[in-house]
Amino acid sequence: MSKTVLLNVRTFAAGVDLTGASNKIELSAEVEDKDSTNYASQGWTEVLGGLRSAELSGEGQWEAGDPSKVDDSSWAHLGTVIPWSVSANNGAAVGDLAYFMAALRSDYKLFEAVGEVAPWSGTAKSSWPLVRGQFAHPPGTARTATGTGTALNLGVVAAGKRLYAALHVLSVAGTTPSLTARVESAPDNTFAAPTTRATFTAATAAGGQVARTDGTAITDSWWRIAWTITGTTPSFLFVASLGIQ
């Protein structure tokens, strides 16, 4: 991706698309520097990497009135760890760059002076790593039946690393609808005999979930989201992100 002007950053928090209510999103990742200077350091400070953390801060225009609005979502999730997925100035299509994490909604600020467009701002602090990956399912494609997503060549998972996944269920319709999403891997893009690596809890309402593998090595390099849908005339809009960290 070349140099870019930020015009289309997509932001998803739990089961809410914040894109139309945000005009500033910032992500940061940090590693504590721990002093390990000693008499053999030859007069130079030596440091070791300590605890890691990440943070998301955002702001935009305040809206309220239903669970898809920023105010309703912020109050519902204040003090709660939820998944966040942010696009890199793209439309969140399959294969587009995604940054995502599980993070605590730690603060929420709203309103301003008379005559101003009502604003909001807030911060989320990581409980899982900030993962650089790809979108595995787009936000605007409704799913009404069991299926599989597009294969992504994310690479193998080395020992001690994990495949991380975020799921944002944005809308649900139908009678007793249920969506059970899972992460599958395979050695090539045919997925002739896929292996399920993680399964999300069945979703019957808008919301978000995160999942990850257990840290053992995985030699498969191709990955995808798959899902099972049940119910009478069910329909789901959801976003999924995958990445190795």
Side-chain angles (χ1 to χ4, degrees):
M1 181 179 289
S2 60
K3 296 176 182 177
T4 184
V5 175
L6 295 176
L7 298 175
N8 190 25
V9 174
R10 303 296 303 272
T11 304
F12 306 94
V16 175
D17 183 350
L18 292 177
T19 306
S22 58
N23 56 20
K24 183 178 181 180
I25 297 293
E26 293 183 330
L27 290 166
S28 62
E30 182 179 20
V31 180
E32 281 187 330
D33 55 290
K34 294 295 186 180
D35 195 313
S36 60
T37 308
N38 54 70
Y39 288 120
S41 300
Q42 300 182 359
W44 290 90
T45 298
E46 290 190 44
V47 295
L48 296 172
L51 295 176
R52 301 183 181 190
S53 62
E55 183 174 300
L56 178 150
S57 61
E59 58 187 62
Q61 299 87 20
W62 178 89
E63 294 179 304
D66 67 64
S68 68
K69 303 300 185 182
V70 63
D71 189 67
D72 300 68
S73 175
S74 296
W75 281 114
H77 296 130
L78 191 62
T80 302
V81 175
I82 60 172
W84 298 77
S85 293
V86 179
S87 77
N89 201 36
N90 54 46
V94 173
D96 282 346
L97 183 60
Y99 296 90
F100 64 97
M101 62 180 173
L104 175 74
R105 191 70 155 87
S106 56
D107 66 78
Y108 175 51
K109 182 180 178 181
L110 63 159
F111 295 162
E112 241 282 5
V114 62
E116 299 296 331
V117 175
W120 68 270
S121 63
T123 305
K125 298 184 178 182
S126 64
S127 287
W128 281 14
L130 176 62
V131 180
R132 186 180 186 272
Q134 297 179 29
F135 285 100
H137 192 275
T141 301
R143 299 297 183 180
T144 60
T146 296
T148 57
T150 303
L152 299 173
N153 187 4
L154 299 178
V156 302
V157 179
K161 300 289 187 178
R162 298 173 188 258
L163 184 286
Y164 289 85
L167 175 69
H168 306 269
V169 179
L170 304 176
S171 71
V172 180
T175 302
T176 62
S178 178
L179 166 74
T180 303
R182 62 189 182 277
V183 180
E184 295 182 341
S185 71
D188 57 54
N189 62 354
T190 65
F191 277 80
T195 301
T196 297
R197 300 296 181 177
T199 301
F200 294 100
T201 301
T204 58
Q209 300 179 49
V210 289
R212 61 186 177 186
T213 57
D214 62 8
T216 58
I218 299 174
T219 58
D220 291 348
S221 57
W222 287 85
W223 301 81
R224 71 182 182 186
I225 286 286
W227 56 89
T228 301
I229 292 178
T230 60
T232 303
T233 61
S235 182
F236 291 86
L237 287 174
F238 64 93
V239 180
S241 306
L242 301 176
I244 296 170
Q245 184 77 21

